[in-house]
């Protein structure tokens, strides 16, 4: 799917609990401005909270980038959480339901993945982790059918 990407509207550090609060507040504000329903706002804020906490706790701190995107006339919000931490040793385990490190909201990466329309994870041992999520105001845009 081709996405028209706007400029990054915010780059926020994730180095303290206060930064986590700021990140949640920013996501809540952006989703409200874009016209997300209250339920969809809550889903994206919850996913953002979990992913930001992961960057802080497991990655030793990181950053969140927030970008408004458009595809097929549908507006959305893309969030990128990145850190330079140790990476995720076992991606399959980290993405499996029921796995917990004992931190965060207890929903882990699989829970965050269920709360958004698009989810991608890139991690390598010793090279950090990047998680990208996108949610759409009116659900994911339809892909065009090939002629």
């Amino acid at each position: 799917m081709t996405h028209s990407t706007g400029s990054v509207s915010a780059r926020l550090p994730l180095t303290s609990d206060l930064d986590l609060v700021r990140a949640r507040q920013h996501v809540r504000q952006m989703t409200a401005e874009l016209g997300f329903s209250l339920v969809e706002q809550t889903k994206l804020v919850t996913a953002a909270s979990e992913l930001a906490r992961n960057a802080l706790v497991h990655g030793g701190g990181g950053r969140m980038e927030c970008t408004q995107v458009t595809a097929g006339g549908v507006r959305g919000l893309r969030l990128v959480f990145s850190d330079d931490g140790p990476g995720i040793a076992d991606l399959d385990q980290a993405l499996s339901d029921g796995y917990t490190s004992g931190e965060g909201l207890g929903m882990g990466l699989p829970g965050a993945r269920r709360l958004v329309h698009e989810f991608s994870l890139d991690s390598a041992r010793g090279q950090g982790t990047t998680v990208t999520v996108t949610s759409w105001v009116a659900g994911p845009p339809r892909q065009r059918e090939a002629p």
Side-chain angles (χ1 to χ4, degrees):
M1 178 180 314
T2 303
H3 297 209
S4 165
T5 303
S7 60
V8 174
S9 64
R11 284 187 178 91
L12 302 173
L14 301 171
T15 58
S16 69
D17 284 341
L18 184 57
D19 289 339
L20 299 182
V21 171
R22 286 185 186 123
R24 284 192 301 268
Q25 289 172 338
H26 186 78
V27 172
R28 174 73 70 190
Q29 178 184 348
M30 294 299 301
T31 55
E33 287 175 10
L34 285 168
F36 280 80
S37 71
L38 187 55
V39 169
E40 291 302 318
Q41 288 178 39
T42 302
K43 286 181 178 181
L44 191 53
V45 169
T46 302
S49 183
E50 182 75 11
L51 297 171
R53 180 159 296 285
N54 283 353
L56 177 62
V57 172
H58 302 294
R63 58 228 145 258
M64 177 186 84
E65 289 186 0
C66 187
T67 307
Q68 294 181 39
V69 292
T70 306
V74 178
R75 292 173 302 161
L77 192 62
R78 174 171 299 127
L79 305 173
V80 179
F81 299 87
S82 55
D83 66 63
D84 300 316
I88 299 172
D90 186 339
L91 287 175
D92 289 336
Q93 181 184 41
L95 288 168
S96 66
D97 281 324
Y99 175 75
T100 179
S101 63
E103 299 287 342
L105 301 173
M107 61 189 243
L109 292 170
R113 180 172 51 183
R114 281 191 294 276
L115 292 171
V116 298
H117 295 119
E118 299 173 18
F119 179 98
S120 69
L121 171 65
D122 182 30
S123 186
R125 284 190 82 117
Q127 297 182 11
T129 301
T130 300
V131 180
T132 304
V133 298
T134 306
S135 285
W136 301 97
V137 171
R142 293 184 181 191
Q143 292 189 17
R144 289 187 181 173
E145 304 229 351

